[in-house]
Amino acid sequence: MAAIMGWIMVGLVVGLLAKLLIPGRDPGGLVATVLIGVAGALLAGYLGQALHLYQPGQATGWVAAVMGAVLLLGVYRLVMTRRS
């Protein structure tokens, strides 16, 4: 449970960082961007550790979390812009 809470906290920071890396307007605003960052961090953290790519606390986890958040944010933008 503590690991999940840690990834959520990391996700908040990573969501904001992903927003800075992918400038422009998001269809859902800042709240949606941060939530997507949390989802990306959780996904990347879980998959990376499940595949034994890194251990908890390694810097690679931060990089994976940012990549996951940027990827999910990009997909979110594609889906939402096609709907409107």
Side-chain angles (χ1 to χ4, degrees), residues 51-74:
L51 296 172
H52 302 290
L53 298 175
Y54 54 86
Q55 299 299 317
Q58 287 184 317
T60 309
W62 280 90
V63 173
V66 171
M67 289 173 36
V70 167
L71 179 70
L72 284 182
L73 184 58

Side-chain angles (χ1 to χ4, degrees), residues 17-54:
L17 185 59
K19 173 70 175 144
L20 291 173
L21 292 174
I22 302 179
R25 294 192 61 169
D26 289 322
L30 183 63
V31 173
T33 301
V34 170
L35 291 176
I36 289 170
V38 170
L42 285 170
L43 181 67
Y46 177 74
L47 287 176
Q49 289 178 18
L51 296 172
H52 302 290
L53 298 175
Y54 54 86

